[in-house]
Amino acid sequence: MNEKEEPMNMNVTPPVEPVTEFEVHLPPDRKHPKWLVPLIAGGTAVVVLAAVGTGGYLYWNHNQLTAASEECATSYDKAVKAQKKLTEYLESDAVKTAVTVKDSEVKDAKTVAVLTSTVKAASTTKTDIPGCPADGLKGIRAAAAQLDKTADVYAKTVNEIRGKADAVNASKTDKTVADATKVLNDSKGRVEDDKVRTALENAIKSKDEKTISDAVKAVNDSIKAKSDADAKAGAEKEAQAADNAAQAQADNSGSYMGGTTGGYTGYTGGGYTQSQGGGGYTYTPQQSTGGSTGGGYTPTPQPQPAPQPSQGGGGDDGYEDICWAVDTSGKPGVQVPCN
């Protein structure tokens, strides 16, 4: 051998194993037990898991808060919209018209009273809608639940008022139909044109208030037209009857007068008067007191009675004085003693 080989040193120290971060450094001259390495590694794992668990909880909790806040915001919007819908409905023409309906316009007046009371209560009761809390999962969820209830109350109130307004309108329609039916029944034979009654009958079946109202007016107008026509015809008939009666009376009067221009104007009775010589009586006929140019009345002269003998002593001529009483109506005279 050209090179001299060095003898092997039998006291060389074996190499030391690399130390990890989980190992406990021991003095070089001491060896650590084999069970210690797994134990240290396990403890470190527990610490890591604990740290991971805390972080995971915080992440989960954050997600829960975010979801609850979003739900609460949705509930808040729902409540606000429900409140707005109620306010708009209270101010709508449908409600305003229903609450102004008179008791005399509906079949059941209670429907109007109930609607008015409900609308008044809903209008005067104003509820502020609270917002959602910024933190606290339990509080956020409680607020969302309350907002949902508020929204439901507003929606229920709208439906309640709508139902009571519909009840008023239905009662009004019932009254309109009942009144129109009475007009239809009472108008039979009283209209100028029966077609208007047929139109009213069809309108009643439709239950449309405007259609019924127009049809009722047409029937009433037709009733008035016929009534006026009947009254006019009656008046003309009475006037004609009066003219006929007057003409008949005039015709009768003309026949009685006989075309004369004068007539009987008076009459004074005549009678017998004793003559101046004392020897008898002279008959004086009755005369008319008025002249006549036509067919007047002239009484018939009475015959002159013969002298009657005296029944006893008396005058020189042997006759008794006898007087005649004459009625001015033209009846024959009667003899009566002159004294």
Side-chain angles (χ1 to χ4, degrees), residues 114-175:
V114 172
L115 173 63
T116 302
S117 176
T118 304
V119 170
K120 183 178 180 180
S123 301
T124 56
T125 303
K126 295 181 180 180
T127 303
D128 294 332
I129 300 178
C132 298
D135 54 11
L137 183 61
K138 185 176 181 180
I140 294 174
R141 288 177 174 174
Q146 184 60 42
L147 288 169
D148 288 337
K149 290 181 180 180
T150 301
D152 291 341
V153 170
Y154 283 130
K156 182 179 179 181
T157 303
V158 170
N159 292 332
E160 182 180 5
I161 295 175
R162 180 180 287 110
K164 293 177 179 179
D166 290 343
V168 171
N169 293 329
S171 184
K172 185 179 179 182
T173 300
D174 290 343
K175 180 70 163 52

Side-chain angles (χ1 to χ4, degrees), residues 16-303:
V16 180
E17 296 180 3
V19 179
T20 66
E21 57 179 337
F22 302 108
E23 289 183 323
V24 178
H25 295 279
L26 298 176
D29 56 346
R30 297 182 59 185
K31 292 184 179 182
H32 55 273
K34 297 294 184 180
W35 54 267
L36 184 59
V37 174
L39 180 61
I40 294 174
T44 303
V46 171
V47 174
V48 173
L49 290 176
V52 172
T54 302
Y57 172 77
L58 293 175
Y59 179 77
W60 173 85
N61 188 57
H62 173 73
N63 287 342
Q64 290 291 95
L65 288 174
T66 301
S69 296
E70 291 177 353
E71 291 177 1
C72 187
T74 301
S75 299
Y76 177 81
D77 291 340
K78 180 180 177 181
V80 170
K81 290 179 180 179
Q83 185 185 53
K84 182 180 180 181
K85 186 175 182 180
L86 173 61
T87 301
E88 292 176 349
Y89 186 65
L90 291 174
E91 296 176 354
S92 65
D93 293 338
V95 174
K96 289 182 178 180
T97 301
V99 297
T100 56
V101 172
K102 298 178 181 178
D103 292 348
S104 59
E105 296 176 337
V106 294
K107 193 172 184 179
D108 185 2
K110 292 181 180 179
T111 57
V112 180
V114 172
L115 173 63
T116 302
S117 176
T118 304
V119 170
K120 183 178 180 180
S123 301
T124 56
T125 303
K126 295 181 180 180
T127 303
D128 294 332
I129 300 178
C132 298
D135 54 11
L137 183 61
K138 185 176 181 180
I140 294 174
R141 288 177 174 174
Q146 184 60 42
L147 288 169
D148 288 337
K149 290 181 180 180
T150 301
D152 291 341
V153 170
Y154 283 130
K156 182 179 179 181
T157 303
V158 170
N159 292 332
E160 182 180 5
I161 295 175
R162 180 180 287 110
K164 293 177 179 179
D166 290 343
V168 171
N169 293 329
S171 184
K172 185 179 179 182
T173 300
D174 290 343
K175 180 70 163 52
T176 300
V177 169
D179 292 345
T181 302
K182 187 176 185 304
V183 172
L184 178 65
N185 296 334
D186 294 345
S187 64
K188 186 176 182 180
R190 297 173 55 202
V191 293
E192 192 175 40
D193 185 358
D194 205 58
K195 290 181 180 179
V196 295
R197 296 186 68 252
T198 302
L200 176 58
E201 185 176 6
N202 294 332
I204 291 173
K205 293 178 181 179
S206 72
K207 292 187 176 182
D208 181 79
E209 291 191 21
K210 180 65 168 57
T211 304
I212 293 174
S213 178
D214 293 342
V216 168
K217 184 179 183 302
V219 170
N220 288 333
D221 290 345
S222 185
I223 290 175
K224 186 178 185 303
K226 186 176 186 305
S227 178
D228 292 345
D230 291 345
K232 183 179 179 181
E236 291 177 351
K237 185 177 181 180
E238 291 180 0
Q240 184 63 42
D243 290 343
N244 294 340
Q247 184 64 38
Q249 185 177 4
D251 293 343
N252 292 336
S253 297
S255 298
Y256 175 76
M257 293 301 291
T260 62
T261 58
Y264 176 80
T265 58
Y267 171 81
T268 56
Y272 290 90
T273 58
Q274 190 173 7
S275 64
Q276 296 293 328
Y281 296 87
T282 302
Y283 174 76
T284 303
Q286 296 171 339
Q287 299 293 333
S288 172
T289 59
S292 161
T293 60
Y297 171 77
T298 302
T300 304
Q302 297 294 327

